Amino acid sequence: MQTVKLHDKTFDIFINEQQIQESISKIAQQINIDYKDKNPLFLGVLNGSFLFAADLFRQIEGTAEISFIKLASYHGTSTTGKINQLIGLNEDIDGRHVIIIEDIVDTGITLQKIMNDLQQKKPASIAVATLLFKPESYQKSYPVQYIAMKVANDFLVGYGLDYNGQGRNLKAIYKIKE
Ligand code: IMP
Ligand code: MG
């Protein structure tokens, strides 16, 4: 599919399935080196990261755990600034090596909220693995260690990313048509 229509907007193909999987393999290999024998706890941020989390975690070798957390903060095509509570964390992360799995880091506001909440629970370390990173939009200084793909400031859908709830099931990533 070259073009898709979701609600009132049209999107063009931008990153194909193969490019997505290759970029995920690269960061998985690096994580496998960096976290060897550390039993990392991956925390996928719902809803957007669920496909990326599955494909990344499938490629993690050795002992590792995964769980999911949620923070609703985004509506429509621009960040609202409205940040909600972190929910779903049942694991004790004290002394654990945590890797947050995000679909996309845009301004970094969502990530900062998650980091602040998790830091208070005294993990041994926290790193971030994101499928997509928008460097021109990022406002925070916290380093994002594992970036599968850097993208420009366009609104994207597919492979977990949505536009008002739709588009998450697209196998490729699509860019909004201006
Ligand atoms: P941030 O707080 O500005 O970094 O935004 C992070 C969240 O906004 C992501 O986890 C996504 O849910 C959403 N988001 C940011 N950019 C896009 C996009 O291009 N498409 C779909 N969702 C996005
Ligand atoms: Mg998200």
Side-chain angles (χ1 to χ4, degrees):
M1 247 184 319
Q2 291 303 305
T3 299
V4 293
K5 191 155 191 288
L6 303 171
H7 300 290
D8 56 331
K9 306 240 183 287
T10 307
F11 298 81
D12 291 324
I13 185 102
F14 182 51
I15 307 169
N16 69 32
E17 282 179 77
Q18 192 189 339
Q19 291 169 311
I20 293 170
Q21 294 305 326
E22 282 172 6
S23 72
I24 295 171
S25 293
K26 279 189 198 146
I27 61 168
Q29 280 170 30
Q30 191 58 49
I31 291 171
N32 283 331
I33 294 167
D34 297 347
Y35 287 83
K36 192 173 185 299
D37 301 325
K38 287 186 169 171
N39 185 27
L41 171 63
F42 290 82
L43 291 178
V45 182
L46 295 174
N47 294 322
S49 79
F50 75 111
L51 292 177
F52 171 49
D55 286 342
L56 176 66
F57 195 64
R58 229 194 294 262
Q59 297 199 43
I60 298 304
E61 293 159 1
T63 311
E65 297 172 30
I66 188 165
S67 187
F68 291 87
I69 55 179
K70 188 162 188 171
L71 192 68
S73 71
Y74 205 86
H75 303 282
T77 57
S78 68
T79 299
T80 59
K82 191 181 82 183
I83 297 286
N84 299 326
Q85 187 91 22
L86 185 70
I87 56 168
L89 184 67
N90 299 318
E91 287 72 17
D92 181 6
I93 65 166
D94 190 340
R96 298 294 306 269
H97 292 286
V98 172
I99 304 173
I100 298 168
I101 307 180
E102 264 286 19
D103 52 354
I104 183 163
V105 177
D106 183 6
T107 62
I109 292 167
T110 307
L111 183 62
Q112 169 149 5
K113 165 71 179 158
I114 294 167
M115 295 289 284
N116 287 347
D117 281 21
L118 294 180
Q119 290 284 13
Q120 288 169 16
K121 301 178 194 296
K122 308 217 171 0
S125 67
I126 303 188
V128 181
T130 188
L131 176 71
L132 298 163
F133 181 65
K134 292 181 173 171
E136 292 156 26
S137 181
Y138 193 57
Q139 299 169 5
K140 307 293 171 185
S141 53
Y142 191 84
V144 179
Q145 289 84 354
Y146 304 101
I147 297 170
M149 294 172 288
K150 286 184 184 163
V151 291
N153 242 345
D154 304 298
F155 190 76
L156 306 174
V157 293
Y159 192 69
L161 295 156
D162 74 305
Y163 169 48
N164 286 344
Q166 296 184 355
R168 297 193 198 276
N169 54 326
L170 296 165
K171 292 185 179 70
I173 292 171
Y174 292 75
K175 183 164 98 174
I176 198 162
K177 199 170 184 155
E178 298 303 345

